[in-house]
Amino acid sequence: MGRNILASSLQHASFSIVFQILCRCITFAINAFIVRSVGREVLGITNVRLLLLESTLLFLSKEAITRSALSSRHNKHCTWAQLINQLWITVPACFILAIPCLYIWLNWLSTVDEHYYVQYRFGCFAIAFACVIELTAEAPIFVSQVFCFVKLKVVMDTSHIFIRSLVFIVIVLLNKNITIYAFGVAQIISAVTIIAGNYAFFHMYIPRLMHYRRELKRVDDKYKLREMYGDYYENMDDFPFMSIKEMCPGVLPNPNSAFNPDLQKLVLSFTKQGVLKQVLTEGEKYVMSVSPVLTFSEQATYDVVNNMGSLAARFIFRPIEDSSYFYFTQTIARDATLLNQKRDAVNEACQVLSYLFRVVTSIALVGFVFGQFYAGTILLLYGGADFVEGGLPEILLRWHCLAIVLLAVNGIAEGYMFATNTSQEIDTYNYYMAFCSVAFLMLSYQLTNWLGPVGFILANCCNMSFRISYSLFYIHKHFNEVNTNPLQGFLPRPVFVTVLCVCGIMCKISEAYFSPHSILYHVLFGALCTCLTLLTWCFENRQLLQTGLAKYRERKVSLTGDTN
């Protein structure tokens, strides 16, 4: 591709962070409305049981295929026709998976109160149907990701969450007794939005691209063409599609076999890994659903606190992880040692990985320190006095702040490892993941019986520690052959850590003296300490900020053609 992969990855991360903030703000508002108006039991059914079904179907159906397709873009033996055919396998795969999943969700998992069972049954079928039809848009979504259509992704994701939320709220306001019905209908309509939006974009884009190519041969003033057609038509000589129909399976001309054998092997490896990763990611929800450890009301409390404790992961860490994974897959080849790759690309990847570790670790430490003294205040403002009564939500949120530190490091470390592993290395890691999955489920069940919902968080911390150790060992070994070590910049600088500790002590004093009398003063004091901490970090990491600004300017120059 002609586009700058690093610059596009940075832009994607930035837009994704903004979208995640918008998405979670809307979701938080809806959850607060349900908690205060409808009840925690309904929230437990929708946010734990039904969303677990959606996560299971989508992850197991497409995760392995999408990741392997991204990694195979540099494989000269893999054609676009084979990639499109492979992506469309997600639709029948989801349909086949939906049959046993629906049976399990309706018959095997802990029972739902009879008052909600009919709605719950409809919700399960609605989720399964929405997942199947949503995957029919996987081909254009993949194409937009490969060719760095970042703005398209942001617009589509924002439209998806906005329409889903709007439909849900309108139905619930009309009748609060059909909240679960509203949830299922909103999921189906939002899936239709994803399909229509992505195909409509390429239906309009491809004819304009064809016209742009004809004009490019006739007109010498390329700067004028850029003004007429926009940035999306720059460096698109390798765009392989002449029609929207070619994004359907079997339509794009293909001199080779319908499926690529190497791609199939990689899919198999990622599939085994994906099953284990899904268990680790949603393990506590599976434990809650299979065994009556917690009631739906307690599950809702845990889910609300878990989502609130994972704000940094959803807002910041996940977009950074996704963008860094895309960057490393396009920069470092899987099946070649670093010694046999371009030295400049390897050095840049090493520097980017070191910076990523430092950034996410710093953010996580800020969340950990300030979360200890503002957990109760945030929960009180969110759910009211009844929600925080007993102190359990506050304890859960404080423990989540510790898990965030481990989650931040694990996301980047595993992201690089998954982006550069060979098929054999992925299979080796799958055995380790199997051990982690079994250990995690056993720890979750046992610790929850001993400590209640806190046990889920402690089990997750142990699991994260095991995975981080493996990933860091791999990174050290991988870069050792080129005598570089991105782990040297792993920890934040000492001045930042010192200022953070001092601000933490001051916030503890504020919690004791200001919080009982004025929440506003306590919050303002925390905001002041946060600003001081961030300014210290920016001062200590001037080189990192200058590098990021230089990459941004480089991208602007490449798009506008202005070298001045």
Side-chain angles (χ1 to χ4, degrees), residues 447-473:
L447 290 177
T448 304
N449 283 326
W450 290 345
L451 304 172
V454 175
F456 283 127
I457 304 174
L458 293 179
N460 199 34
C461 289
C462 294
N463 167 53
M464 288 291 176
S465 300
F466 294 149
R467 293 164 62 182
I468 288 171
S469 300
Y470 190 100
S471 301
L472 294 183
F473 176 77

PDB file of all heavy atoms in Angstrom, residues 447-473:
ATOM      1  N   LEU A 447     -12.296 -18.981  44.193  1.00  0.00           N
ATOM      2  CA  LEU A 447     -12.139 -17.692  44.873  1.00  0.00           C
ATOM      3  C   LEU A 447     -13.478 -16.969  45.027  1.00  0.00           C
ATOM      4  O   LEU A 447     -13.680 -16.234  45.999  1.00  0.00           O
ATOM      5  CB  LEU A 447     -11.153 -16.811  44.093  1.00  0.00           C
ATOM      6  CG  LEU A 447      -9.688 -17.257  44.124  1.00  0.00           C
ATOM      7  CD1 LEU A 447      -8.831 -16.343  43.243  1.00  0.00           C
ATOM      8  CD2 LEU A 447      -9.150 -17.263  45.554  1.00  0.00           C
ATOM      9  N   THR A 448     -14.384 -17.178  44.091  1.00  0.00           N
ATOM     10  CA  THR A 448     -15.699 -16.549  44.207  1.00  0.00           C
ATOM     11  C   THR A 448     -16.496 -17.159  45.359  1.00  0.00           C
ATOM     12  O   THR A 448     -17.222 -16.456  46.067  1.00  0.00           O
ATOM     13  CB  THR A 448     -16.478 -16.694  42.888  1.00  0.00           C
ATOM     14  OG1 THR A 448     -15.704 -16.148  41.820  1.00  0.00           O
ATOM     15  CG2 THR A 448     -17.801 -15.942  42.958  1.00  0.00           C
ATOM     16  N   ASN A 449     -16.359 -18.468  45.541  1.00  0.00           N
ATOM     17  CA  ASN A 449     -17.020 -19.096  46.675  1.00  0.00           C
ATOM     18  C   ASN A 449     -16.466 -18.583  48.005  1.00  0.00           C
ATOM     19  O   ASN A 449     -17.194 -18.503  48.999  1.00  0.00           O
ATOM     20  CB  ASN A 449     -16.857 -20.618  46.603  1.00  0.00           C
ATOM     21  CG  ASN A 449     -17.800 -21.252  45.586  1.00  0.00           C
ATOM     22  OD1 ASN A 449     -18.915 -20.779  45.397  1.00  0.00           O
ATOM     23  ND2 ASN A 449     -17.356 -22.296  44.916  1.00  0.00           N
ATOM     24  N   TRP A 450     -15.174 -18.249  48.038  1.00  0.00           N
ATOM     25  CA  TRP A 450     -14.541 -17.759  49.262  1.00  0.00           C
ATOM     26  C   TRP A 450     -14.772 -16.266  49.486  1.00  0.00           C
ATOM     27  O   TRP A 450     -15.088 -15.831  50.586  1.00  0.00           O
ATOM     28  CB  TRP A 450     -13.036 -18.031  49.226  1.00  0.00           C
ATOM     29  CG  TRP A 450     -12.667 -19.466  49.349  1.00  0.00           C
ATOM     30  CD1 TRP A 450     -13.467 -20.504  49.758  1.00  0.00           C
ATOM     31  CD2 TRP A 450     -11.395 -20.040  49.030  1.00  0.00           C
ATOM     32  NE1 TRP A 450     -12.780 -21.684  49.727  1.00  0.00           N
ATOM     33  CE2 TRP A 450     -11.496 -21.445  49.292  1.00  0.00           C
ATOM     34  CE3 TRP A 450     -10.187 -19.548  48.557  1.00  0.00           C
ATOM     35  CZ2 TRP A 450     -10.438 -22.324  49.101  1.00  0.00           C
ATOM     36  CZ3 TRP A 450      -9.121 -20.408  48.376  1.00  0.00           C
ATOM     37  CH2 TRP A 450      -9.249 -21.793  48.639  1.00  0.00           C
ATOM     38  N   LEU A 451     -14.578 -15.467  48.400  1.00  0.00           N
ATOM     39  CA  LEU A 451     -14.524 -14.014  48.549  1.00  0.00           C
ATOM     40  C   LEU A 451     -15.660 -13.274  47.849  1.00  0.00           C
ATOM     41  O   LEU A 451     -15.694 -12.040  47.890  1.00  0.00           O
ATOM     42  CB  LEU A 451     -13.180 -13.489  48.001  1.00  0.00           C
ATOM     43  CG  LEU A 451     -11.921 -14.115  48.613  1.00  0.00           C
ATOM     44  CD1 LEU A 451     -10.683 -13.651  47.851  1.00  0.00           C
ATOM     45  CD2 LEU A 451     -11.802 -13.752  50.090  1.00  0.00           C
ATOM     46  N   GLY A 452     -16.555 -13.995  47.185  1.00  0.00           N
ATOM     47  CA  GLY A 452     -17.616 -13.321  46.459  1.00  0.00           C
ATOM     48  C   GLY A 452     -17.115 -12.771  45.131  1.00  0.00           C
ATOM     49  O   GLY A 452     -16.141 -13.284  44.558  1.00  0.00           O
ATOM     50  N   PRO A 453     -17.722 -11.698  44.612  1.00  0.00           N
ATOM     51  CA  PRO A 453     -17.325 -11.150  43.306  1.00  0.00           C
ATOM     52  C   PRO A 453     -15.859 -10.727  43.221  1.00  0.00           C
ATOM     53  O   PRO A 453     -15.291 -10.709  42.128  1.00  0.00           O
ATOM     54  CB  PRO A 453     -18.249  -9.933  43.151  1.00  0.00           C
ATOM     55  CG  PRO A 453     -19.426 -10.240  44.007  1.00  0.00           C
ATOM     56  CD  PRO A 453     -18.901 -11.012  45.175  1.00  0.00           C
ATOM     57  N   VAL A 454     -15.241 -10.393  44.354  1.00  0.00           N
ATOM     58  CA  VAL A 454     -13.819 -10.010  44.328  1.00  0.00           C
ATOM     59  C   VAL A 454     -12.966 -11.159  43.801  1.00  0.00           C
ATOM     60  O   VAL A 454     -11.916 -10.952  43.194  1.00  0.00           O
ATOM     61  CB  VAL A 454     -13.356  -9.590  45.739  1.00  0.00           C
ATOM     62  CG1 VAL A 454     -11.856  -9.318  45.766  1.00  0.00           C
ATOM     63  CG2 VAL A 454     -14.117  -8.356  46.198  1.00  0.00           C
ATOM     64  N   GLY A 455     -13.412 -12.394  44.019  1.00  0.00           N
ATOM     65  CA  GLY A 455     -12.658 -13.548  43.550  1.00  0.00           C
ATOM     66  C   GLY A 455     -12.460 -13.562  42.053  1.00  0.00           C
ATOM     67  O   GLY A 455     -11.417 -14.017  41.557  1.00  0.00           O
ATOM     68  N   PHE A 456     -13.449 -13.064  41.299  1.00  0.00           N
ATOM     69  CA  PHE A 456     -13.298 -12.988  39.843  1.00  0.00           C
ATOM     70  C   PHE A 456     -12.122 -12.090  39.465  1.00  0.00           C
ATOM     71  O   PHE A 456     -11.331 -12.403  38.565  1.00  0.00           O
ATOM     72  CB  PHE A 456     -14.579 -12.434  39.211  1.00  0.00           C
ATOM     73  CG  PHE A 456     -15.696 -13.430  39.113  1.00  0.00           C
ATOM     74  CD1 PHE A 456     -16.942 -13.141  39.624  1.00  0.00           C
ATOM     75  CD2 PHE A 456     -15.511 -14.653  38.493  1.00  0.00           C
ATOM     76  CE1 PHE A 456     -17.985 -14.051  39.533  1.00  0.00           C
ATOM     77  CE2 PHE A 456     -16.541 -15.577  38.393  1.00  0.00           C
ATOM     78  CZ  PHE A 456     -17.779 -15.268  38.915  1.00  0.00           C
ATOM     79  N   ILE A 457     -12.004 -10.962  40.151  1.00  0.00           N
ATOM     80  CA  ILE A 457     -10.938 -10.008  39.824  1.00  0.00           C
ATOM     81  C   ILE A 457      -9.570 -10.573  40.169  1.00  0.00           C
ATOM     82  O   ILE A 457      -8.609 -10.456  39.394  1.00  0.00           O
ATOM     83  CB  ILE A 457     -11.179  -8.675  40.563  1.00  0.00           C
ATOM     84  CG1 ILE A 457     -12.565  -8.130  40.221  1.00  0.00           C
ATOM     85  CG2 ILE A 457     -10.103  -7.665  40.204  1.00  0.00           C
ATOM     86  CD1 ILE A 457     -12.948  -6.903  41.012  1.00  0.00           C
ATOM     87  N   LEU A 458      -9.447 -11.225  41.334  1.00  0.00           N
ATOM     88  CA  LEU A 458      -8.170 -11.812  41.739  1.00  0.00           C
ATOM     89  C   LEU A 458      -7.761 -12.937  40.784  1.00  0.00           C
ATOM     90  O   LEU A 458      -6.580 -13.060  40.433  1.00  0.00           O
ATOM     91  CB  LEU A 458      -8.273 -12.336  43.165  1.00  0.00           C
ATOM     92  CG  LEU A 458      -8.462 -11.280  44.263  1.00  0.00           C
ATOM     93  CD1 LEU A 458      -8.576 -11.949  45.628  1.00  0.00           C
ATOM     94  CD2 LEU A 458      -7.305 -10.286  44.259  1.00  0.00           C
ATOM     95  N   ALA A 459      -8.725 -13.746  40.364  1.00  0.00           N
ATOM     96  CA  ALA A 459      -8.411 -14.811  39.407  1.00  0.00           C
ATOM     97  C   ALA A 459      -7.935 -14.222  38.081  1.00  0.00           C
ATOM     98  O   ALA A 459      -7.009 -14.740  37.444  1.00  0.00           O
ATOM     99  CB  ALA A 459      -9.646 -15.686  39.183  1.00  0.00           C
ATOM    100  N   ASN A 460      -8.543 -13.129  37.667  1.00  0.00           N
ATOM    101  CA  ASN A 460      -8.142 -12.477  36.429  1.00  0.00           C
ATOM    102  C   ASN A 460      -6.734 -11.889  36.534  1.00  0.00           C
ATOM    103  O   ASN A 460      -5.957 -11.924  35.584  1.00  0.00           O
ATOM    104  CB  ASN A 460      -9.149 -11.385  36.086  1.00  0.00           C
ATOM    105  CG  ASN A 460      -9.093 -10.976  34.631  1.00  0.00           C
ATOM    106  OD1 ASN A 460      -8.833 -11.791  33.759  1.00  0.00           O
ATOM    107  ND2 ASN A 460      -9.331  -9.706  34.361  1.00  0.00           N
ATOM    108  N   CYS A 461      -6.395 -11.345  37.703  1.00  0.00           N
ATOM    109  CA  CYS A 461      -5.047 -10.806  37.917  1.00  0.00           C
ATOM    110  C   CYS A 461      -3.990 -11.910  37.813  1.00  0.00           C
ATOM    111  O   CYS A 461      -2.929 -11.717  37.206  1.00  0.00           O
ATOM    112  CB  CYS A 461      -4.958 -10.130  39.279  1.00  0.00           C
ATOM    113  SG  CYS A 461      -5.858  -8.562  39.405  1.00  0.00           S
ATOM    114  N   CYS A 462      -4.277 -13.067  38.402  1.00  0.00           N
ATOM    115  CA  CYS A 462      -3.345 -14.194  38.307  1.00  0.00           C
ATOM    116  C   CYS A 462      -3.182 -14.640  36.854  1.00  0.00           C
ATOM    117  O   CYS A 462      -2.066 -14.893  36.382  1.00  0.00           O
ATOM    118  CB  CYS A 462      -3.845 -15.358  39.154  1.00  0.00           C
ATOM    119  SG  CYS A 462      -3.862 -15.051  40.931  1.00  0.00           S
ATOM    120  N   ASN A 463      -4.282 -14.708  36.135  1.00  0.00           N
ATOM    121  CA  ASN A 463      -4.243 -15.115  34.738  1.00  0.00           C
ATOM    122  C   ASN A 463      -3.433 -14.134  33.895  1.00  0.00           C
ATOM    123  O   ASN A 463      -2.614 -14.541  33.058  1.00  0.00           O
ATOM    124  CB  ASN A 463      -5.678 -15.210  34.218  1.00  0.00           C
ATOM    125  CG  ASN A 463      -5.746 -15.307  32.712  1.00  0.00           C
ATOM    126  OD1 ASN A 463      -5.108 -16.155  32.111  1.00  0.00           O
ATOM    127  ND2 ASN A 463      -6.507 -14.425  32.094  1.00  0.00           N
ATOM    128  N   MET A 464      -3.656 -12.829  34.119  1.00  0.00           N
ATOM    129  CA  MET A 464      -2.910 -11.809  33.380  1.00  0.00           C
ATOM    130  C   MET A 464      -1.417 -11.914  33.647  1.00  0.00           C
ATOM    131  O   MET A 464      -0.580 -11.743  32.747  1.00  0.00           O
ATOM    132  CB  MET A 464      -3.411 -10.415  33.760  1.00  0.00           C
ATOM    133  CG  MET A 464      -4.777 -10.065  33.210  1.00  0.00           C
ATOM    134  SD  MET A 464      -4.770  -9.866  31.428  1.00  0.00           S
ATOM    135  CE  MET A 464      -6.514  -9.578  31.163  1.00  0.00           C
ATOM    136  N   SER A 465      -1.044 -12.193  34.874  1.00  0.00           N
ATOM    137  CA  SER A 465       0.375 -12.303  35.223  1.00  0.00           C
ATOM    138  C   SER A 465       1.040 -13.442  34.465  1.00  0.00           C
ATOM    139  O   SER A 465       2.167 -13.304  33.970  1.00  0.00           O
ATOM    140  CB  SER A 465       0.522 -12.519  36.736  1.00  0.00           C
ATOM    141  OG  SER A 465      -0.033 -11.451  37.456  1.00  0.00           O
ATOM    142  N   PHE A 466       0.358 -14.581  34.352  1.00  0.00           N
ATOM    143  CA  PHE A 466       0.907 -15.719  33.606  1.00  0.00           C
ATOM    144  C   PHE A 466       1.110 -15.352  32.134  1.00  0.00           C
ATOM    145  O   PHE A 466       2.152 -15.652  31.538  1.00  0.00           O
ATOM    146  CB  PHE A 466      -0.034 -16.923  33.709  1.00  0.00           C
ATOM    147  CG  PHE A 466      -0.165 -17.487  35.100  1.00  0.00           C
ATOM    148  CD1 PHE A 466      -1.351 -18.075  35.510  1.00  0.00           C
ATOM    149  CD2 PHE A 466       0.886 -17.414  36.000  1.00  0.00           C
ATOM    150  CE1 PHE A 466      -1.481 -18.585  36.794  1.00  0.00           C
ATOM    151  CE2 PHE A 466       0.767 -17.927  37.285  1.00  0.00           C
ATOM    152  CZ  PHE A 466      -0.413 -18.512  37.680  1.00  0.00           C
ATOM    153  N   ARG A 467       0.113 -14.712  31.546  1.00  0.00           N
ATOM    154  CA  ARG A 467       0.184 -14.376  30.119  1.00  0.00           C
ATOM    155  C   ARG A 467       1.234 -13.315  29.840  1.00  0.00           C
ATOM    156  O   ARG A 467       1.940 -13.367  28.820  1.00  0.00           O
ATOM    157  CB  ARG A 467      -1.197 -13.916  29.645  1.00  0.00           C
ATOM    158  CG  ARG A 467      -2.230 -15.033  29.654  1.00  0.00           C
ATOM    159  CD  ARG A 467      -3.655 -14.527  29.573  1.00  0.00           C
ATOM    160  NE  ARG A 467      -3.930 -13.801  28.339  1.00  0.00           N
ATOM    161  CZ  ARG A 467      -5.093 -13.241  28.062  1.00  0.00           C
ATOM    162  NH1 ARG A 467      -6.093 -13.320  28.942  1.00  0.00           N
ATOM    163  NH2 ARG A 467      -5.277 -12.602  26.929  1.00  0.00           N
ATOM    164  N   ILE A 468       1.359 -12.334  30.734  1.00  0.00           N
ATOM    165  CA  ILE A 468       2.375 -11.289  30.557  1.00  0.00           C
ATOM    166  C   ILE A 468       3.769 -11.890  30.583  1.00  0.00           C
ATOM    167  O   ILE A 468       4.634 -11.534  29.766  1.00  0.00           O
ATOM    168  CB  ILE A 468       2.224 -10.214  31.649  1.00  0.00           C
ATOM    169  CG1 ILE A 468       0.970  -9.377  31.399  1.00  0.00           C
ATOM    170  CG2 ILE A 468       3.453  -9.297  31.685  1.00  0.00           C
ATOM    171  CD1 ILE A 468       0.637  -8.432  32.538  1.00  0.00           C
ATOM    172  N   SER A 469       4.012 -12.792  31.506  1.00  0.00           N
ATOM    173  CA  SER A 469       5.335 -13.413  31.620  1.00  0.00           C
ATOM    174  C   SER A 469       5.717 -14.111  30.320  1.00  0.00           C
ATOM    175  O   SER A 469       6.851 -13.975  29.840  1.00  0.00           O
ATOM    176  CB  SER A 469       5.345 -14.416  32.780  1.00  0.00           C
ATOM    177  OG  SER A 469       5.046 -13.778  33.999  1.00  0.00           O
ATOM    178  N   TYR A 470       4.781 -14.840  29.742  1.00  0.00           N
ATOM    179  CA  TYR A 470       5.066 -15.554  28.495  1.00  0.00           C
ATOM    180  C   TYR A 470       5.344 -14.578  27.355  1.00  0.00           C
ATOM    181  O   TYR A 470       6.297 -14.753  26.583  1.00  0.00           O
ATOM    182  CB  TYR A 470       3.880 -16.455  28.150  1.00  0.00           C
ATOM    183  CG  TYR A 470       4.142 -17.411  27.011  1.00  0.00           C
ATOM    184  CD1 TYR A 470       4.470 -18.736  27.258  1.00  0.00           C
ATOM    185  CD2 TYR A 470       4.046 -16.986  25.678  1.00  0.00           C
ATOM    186  CE1 TYR A 470       4.710 -19.620  26.214  1.00  0.00           C
ATOM    187  CE2 TYR A 470       4.289 -17.855  24.630  1.00  0.00           C
ATOM    188  CZ  TYR A 470       4.616 -19.177  24.904  1.00  0.00           C
ATOM    189  OH  TYR A 470       4.863 -20.031  23.862  1.00  0.00           O
ATOM    190  N   SER A 471       4.519 -13.542  27.234  1.00  0.00           N
ATOM    191  CA  SER A 471       4.658 -12.590  26.130  1.00  0.00           C
ATOM    192  C   SER A 471       5.967 -11.812  26.216  1.00  0.00           C
ATOM    193  O   SER A 471       6.649 -11.599  25.201  1.00  0.00           O
ATOM    194  CB  SER A 471       3.473 -11.620  26.117  1.00  0.00           C
ATOM    195  OG  SER A 471       2.251 -12.306  25.980  1.00  0.00           O
ATOM    196  N   LEU A 472       6.322 -11.365  27.414  1.00  0.00           N
ATOM    197  CA  LEU A 472       7.565 -10.603  27.577  1.00  0.00           C
ATOM    198  C   LEU A 472       8.783 -11.469  27.277  1.00  0.00           C
ATOM    199  O   LEU A 472       9.774 -10.992  26.705  1.00  0.00           O
ATOM    200  CB  LEU A 472       7.660 -10.029  28.989  1.00  0.00           C
ATOM    201  CG  LEU A 472       6.624  -8.961  29.352  1.00  0.00           C
ATOM    202  CD1 LEU A 472       6.887  -8.421  30.753  1.00  0.00           C
ATOM    203  CD2 LEU A 472       6.616  -7.823  28.336  1.00  0.00           C
ATOM    204  N   PHE A 473       8.729 -12.737  27.658  1.00  0.00           N
ATOM    205  CA  PHE A 473       9.838 -13.649  27.335  1.00  0.00           C
ATOM    206  C   PHE A 473       9.978 -13.794  25.822  1.00  0.00           C
ATOM    207  O   PHE A 473      11.090 -13.794  25.279  1.00  0.00           O
ATOM    208  CB  PHE A 473       9.589 -15.013  27.982  1.00  0.00           C
ATOM    209  CG  PHE A 473      10.621 -16.044  27.626  1.00  0.00           C
ATOM    210  CD1 PHE A 473      11.881 -16.031  28.217  1.00  0.00           C
ATOM    211  CD2 PHE A 473      10.333 -17.029  26.683  1.00  0.00           C
ATOM    212  CE1 PHE A 473      12.831 -16.983  27.876  1.00  0.00           C
ATOM    213  CE2 PHE A 473      11.279 -17.979  26.336  1.00  0.00           C
ATOM    214  CZ  PHE A 473      12.532 -17.960  26.931  1.00  0.00           C
TER     215      PHE A 473
END
